[in-house]
C-alpha cells in the first residue's frame, strides 16, 4: 500500500479525472478499505479541496466547486491567467499539447469558485480564435481582459482609457463585440459610440474598463467575423514589411496552418504563393518554419537575413 501522502495525491488525481466516483470503486482503485477512503477524503477537505459525498447504496464522491481555490499557491488573477493560457494551448497553438491542455483546463475550471468560472467562461465565449501561430509579445492584464469579455458577453456598454498609436490618451465609450487573439496581441472589436464607427482596440493599450450598466442590441459587424475585421484593419496600416513567399506545398495545407493571417494563392496542385504584412520578421520566420515545406523568399530581402540568423543559432544549438 502506498504511504498516506502518495495515496492522497493519487486520490486527488482520480477525483479530478471523473465527475463522480462510486465509493467502492474508488477504494478498489486505491487498494484501500472504504473506511480508509473516508479518512483520506476528510484529509483532502482539511486541505481545502471541496469533496462532495453522496450517501446510500449508490454513494460516492466527486470534486465540487468551492468558495475558495484549493491550495495551489496562486491567486485569483493568476488562476484566470493560467486558464487563458491553457485555452490558447487547447486551440492547438502548440502542436502536441492540445489534448493535455484540455484535460488540465477542465480540472482547473472544475474546482474554481463561481466568480472565477464566470470570468473564464466569458473570455472563452467572447474570444474569436485566429490561427496565426506567432509568439506572444505584448502583456495584457488578465483582469482587464476578463472585464472586457464580460461586457462583450452581456452586451453592456463599456468605457475605458485608451492610448493611440501616436501616444495620445483618449477616453472611449463603446459597444463591445468580440475579443480576437491573433497570437502576438489581443484586440477588442467594438462599435465606437462617439465616432459612430467600428473600431479595433489593442487591449494592452486599454486601461480601467468599466461597464456602464447600459445594455445594447448587437449591431451587424461589417466583416465575416471579428478576426477578419481585425485582419483587414491591420492590412491597411503602414507596416514595415510586406512579405511574399513561394511555398512548395498545396494551398489548402498552408491555409490550414497559417491562412488566418496570410493570403494564400494557389499556383498549382503542389505550389502556392503566400503574402503577409508585418512589423516584425520573426513571426513570418516562425510561420514559414511551421509549414515543414521548401519555400523561396521573393520579398523582402531582409527576411533572407533573418532566416540566415535563425539558421545559424539553430545550428549552434545542435552542435552544443
Amino acid at each position: 500500500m502506498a504511504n498516506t501522502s502518495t495515496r492522497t495525491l493519487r486520490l486527488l488525481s482520480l477525483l479530478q479525472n471523473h465527475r463522480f466516483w462510486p465509493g467502492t470503486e474508488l477504494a478498489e482503485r486505491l487498494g484501500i478499505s472504504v473506511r480508509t477512503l473516508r479518512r483520506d477524503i476528510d484529509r483532502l477537505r482539511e486541505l481545502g479541496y471541496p469533496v462532495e459525498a453522496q450517501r446510500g447504496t449508490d454513494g460516492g464522491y466527486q470534486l465540487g466547486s468551492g468558495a475558495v481555490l484549493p491550495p495551489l499557491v496562486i491567486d485569483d488573477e493568476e488562476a484566470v491567467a493560467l486558464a487563458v493560457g491553457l485555452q490558447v494551448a487547447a486551440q492547438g497553438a502548440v502542436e502536441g499539447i492540445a489534448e493535455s491542455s484540455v484535460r488540465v483546463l477542465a480540472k482547473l475550471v472544475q474546482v474554481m469558485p463561481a466568480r472565477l468560472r464566470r470570468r473564464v467562461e466569458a473570455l472563452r465565449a467572447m474570444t474569436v480564435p485566429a490561427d496565426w501561430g506567432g509568439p506572444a509579445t505584448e502583456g495584457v492584464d488578465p483582469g482587464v481582459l476578463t472585464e472586457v469579455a464580460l461586457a462583450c458577453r452581456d452586451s453592456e456598454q463599456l468605457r475605458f482609457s485608451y492610448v493611440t498609436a501616436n501616444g495620445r490618451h483618449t477616453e472611449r465609450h463603446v459597444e463591445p463585440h468580440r475579443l480576437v487573439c491573433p497570437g502576438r496581441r489581443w484586440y477588442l472589436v467594438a462599435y465606437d459610440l462617439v465616432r459612430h464607427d467600428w473600431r479595433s482596440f489593442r487591449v494592452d493599450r486599454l486601461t480601467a474598463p468599466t461597464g456602464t450598466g447600459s445594455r445594447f442590441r448587437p449591431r451587424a459587424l461589417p466583416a465575416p467575423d471579428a478576426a477578419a475585421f481585425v485582419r483587414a484593419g491591420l492590412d491597411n496600416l503602414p507596416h514595415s514589411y510586406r512579405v511574399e513567399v513561394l511555398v512548395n506545398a498545396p494551398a489548402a495545407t498552408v491555409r490550414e496552418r497559417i491562412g488566418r493571417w496570410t493570403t494564400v494563392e494557389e499556383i498549382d496542385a503542389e505550389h502556392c504563393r503566400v503574402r503577409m504584412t508585418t512589423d516584425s520578421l520573426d513571426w513570418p520566420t516562425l510561420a514559414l518554419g511551421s509549414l515543414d515545406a521548401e519555400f523561396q523568399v521573393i520579398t523582402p530581402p531582409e527576411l533572407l537575413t533573418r532566416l540566415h540568423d535563425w539558421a545559424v543559432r539553430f545550428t549552434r544549438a545542435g552542435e552544443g
Side-chain angles (χ1 to χ4, degrees):
M1 181 185 300
N3 62 53
T4 301
S5 298
T6 301
R7 192 176 65 239
T8 302
L9 290 174
R10 173 62 175 157
L11 171 59
L12 179 59
S13 177
L14 289 173
L15 288 171
Q16 289 177 327
N17 284 332
H18 290 280
R19 289 295 300 170
F20 178 81
W21 278 98
T24 54
E25 182 180 350
L26 190 55
E28 182 179 351
R29 288 289 295 270
L30 293 168
I32 58 178
S33 68
V34 174
R35 176 177 295 183
T36 301
L37 174 62
R38 285 198 293 267
R39 289 201 296 266
D40 288 351
I41 292 292
D42 289 339
R43 187 172 294 107
L44 283 179
R45 289 169 175 161
E46 290 171 1
L47 291 172
Y49 291 90
V51 183
E52 300 173 353
Q54 179 178 318
R55 303 190 182 280
T57 56
D58 296 325
Y61 301 93
Q62 69 179 43
L63 195 61
S65 300
V68 295
L69 281 173
L72 301 175
V73 200
I74 57 175
D75 60 23
D76 285 5
E77 297 301 326
E78 291 168 338
V80 173
L82 177 60
V84 170
L86 288 169
Q87 178 185 316
V88 173
Q91 293 170 352
V94 181
E95 185 176 357
I97 68 169
E99 182 179 348
S100 58
S101 298
V102 170
R103 292 198 303 269
V104 176
L105 181 60
K107 292 178 181 179
L108 179 64
V109 172
Q110 181 180 343
V111 298
M112 274 185 168
R115 68 181 185 279
L116 295 188
R117 287 203 311 276
R118 180 172 178 266
R119 294 168 64 184
V120 171
E121 284 301 312
L123 187 58
R124 179 196 61 77
M126 293 297 109
T127 299
V128 177
D131 302 327
W132 179 54
T137 58
E138 271 70 25
V140 175
D141 183 343
V144 169
L145 203 57
T146 53
E147 188 68 28
V148 171
L150 287 171
C152 291
R153 189 197 65 178
D154 297 338
S155 297
E156 180 182 5
Q157 291 181 9
L158 192 67
R159 293 185 182 274
F160 54 84
S161 299
Y162 190 72
V163 180
T164 63
N166 59 11
R168 186 167 60 93
H169 291 259
T170 62
E171 298 298 320
R172 300 301 179 107
H173 183 199
V174 304
E175 294 177 352
H177 177 69
R178 288 291 186 275
L179 287 162
V180 178
C181 182
R184 297 180 65 239
R185 301 186 179 105
W186 287 83
Y187 292 87
L188 166 65
V189 175
Y191 187 84
D192 193 313
L193 292 170
V194 176
R195 292 156 180 79
H196 303 291
D197 199 5
W198 287 92
R199 294 285 192 274
S200 63
F201 301 94
R202 276 179 48 176
V203 180
D204 60 296
R205 294 178 178 171
L206 185 158
T207 56
T210 304
T212 66
S214 299
R215 301 288 195 259
F216 62 89
R217 178 176 296 178
R219 305 170 187 261
L221 182 69
D225 60 26
F229 181 83
V230 171
R231 178 183 174 183
L234 294 177
D235 284 346
N236 291 328
L237 292 176
H239 290 82
S240 300
Y241 304 102
R242 296 190 178 274
V243 175
E244 181 178 348
V245 180
L246 300 180
V247 180
N248 297 349
T253 300
V254 175
R255 288 193 189 98
E256 182 180 354
R257 296 203 176 187
I258 63 171
R260 172 73 77 165
W261 292 90
T262 64
T263 300
V264 182
E265 299 175 359
E266 182 176 2
I267 297 176
D268 56 40
E270 298 298 329
H271 302 82
C272 64
R273 186 186 309 273
V274 174
R275 293 189 175 93
M276 60 188 86
T277 53
T278 179
D279 56 3
S280 169
L281 291 175
D282 286 329
W283 84 260
T285 301
L286 182 63
L288 292 168
S290 71
L291 295 177
D292 193 25
E294 299 290 332
F295 59 86
Q296 177 186 355
V297 175
I298 304 301
T299 188
E302 292 89 347
L303 179 56
L304 291 172
T305 302
R306 184 60 52 86
L307 289 168
H308 175 74
D309 292 342
W310 277 45
V312 170
R313 287 201 298 271
F314 289 157
T315 299
R316 285 201 302 264
E319 293 172 348

